[in-house]
Amino acid sequence: RLNHVGDWGTQFGMLITYLREVAPEALDGSASARLAVGDLVELYKKSKKRFDEDEQFQEAARKAVVALQAGDPETLAAWRLLCEASRAEFAAIYTRLRVDPRLEERGESF
């Protein structure tokens, strides 16, 4: 069974760029700064609104995607933190649904 997660694309560029601006502590890896998926959903909505309205933000988000694809350590670390938040939520849902948690992860970024 496959779990499709973590594709690199504009959505991650937007979210990483937005978090760097409004909540950089969320990307520092500390346990106290971890975001739940619900937080990320709200932050994503705000980042999408900003992306649609602000050309400078669009460019910064696109540059974040390029940095991610190029293997920039800071951007990769931010992406990994976001994926880890998703994994935590997946695990809770899988437990409730009694889904075998031994899933192989796949995505464009793997």
Side-chain angles (χ1 to χ4, degrees):
R1 295 192 182 232
L2 296 177
N3 192 14
H4 191 86
V5 298
D7 287 346
W8 294 342
T10 304
Q11 71 279 9
F12 273 104
M14 291 185 317
L15 190 52
I16 290 169
T17 300
Y18 191 75
L19 283 167
R20 284 177 175 162
E21 290 181 2
V22 303
E25 67 282 358
L27 299 176
D28 71 7
S30 67
S32 63
R34 297 237 169 114
L35 294 168
V37 167
D39 298 325
L40 293 176
V41 169
E42 290 306 311
L43 289 164
Y44 174 79
K45 288 177 185 178
K46 291 176 182 177
S47 73
K48 175 66 170 130
K49 184 177 185 327
R50 177 98 181 272
F51 185 86
D52 291 343
E53 297 172 351
D54 183 337
E55 288 184 24
Q56 288 180 334
F57 185 81
Q58 287 175 15
E59 184 61 26
R62 289 184 182 116
K63 286 181 179 178
V65 175
V66 171
L68 188 57
Q69 293 169 342
D72 174 67
E74 183 181 316
T75 308
L76 275 172
W79 173 78
R80 286 184 183 113
L81 287 170
L82 297 174
C83 288
E84 195 54 43
S86 295
R87 283 185 193 102
E89 185 68 16
F90 297 155
I93 292 168
Y94 296 158
T95 298
R96 276 184 285 187
L97 296 175
R98 295 186 180 133
V99 172
D100 186 340
R102 296 173 293 166
L103 299 171
E104 183 178 343
E105 287 189 351
R106 292 282 182 185
E108 293 169 15
S109 54
F110 290 81

